[in-house]
Amino acid sequence: MKKIMITQSILWAAAILLPVINPEASWWLIAVLAVVALDSLRREINKVLS
């Protein structure tokens, strides 16, 4: 569980910082990082439940 929390923190921090680094491409990068973060969280939850 600790690993997933670290991964989630890094992904969401990157999603927040991307508009500062690259304003033109920020929306699609935020969307991609959000999907990756949510998918990894879903997989970890499924592992715990099964």
Side-chain angles (χ1 to χ4, degrees):
M1 193 62 156
K2 184 177 181 180
K3 179 182 170 187
I4 191 67
M5 294 302 290
I6 293 170
T7 304
Q8 290 292 307
S9 298
I10 292 169
L11 287 171
W12 287 108
I16 291 167
L17 292 175
L18 276 175
V20 175
I21 297 167
N22 189 359
E24 298 88 32
S26 65
W27 292 111
W28 70 269
L29 288 171
I30 290 172
V32 168
L33 283 172
V35 168
V36 169
L38 292 173
D39 186 52
S40 67
L41 185 60
R42 180 187 54 84
R43 280 185 279 148
E44 287 296 320
I45 289 172
N46 285 339
K47 273 194 229 176
V48 170
L49 294 177
S50 56

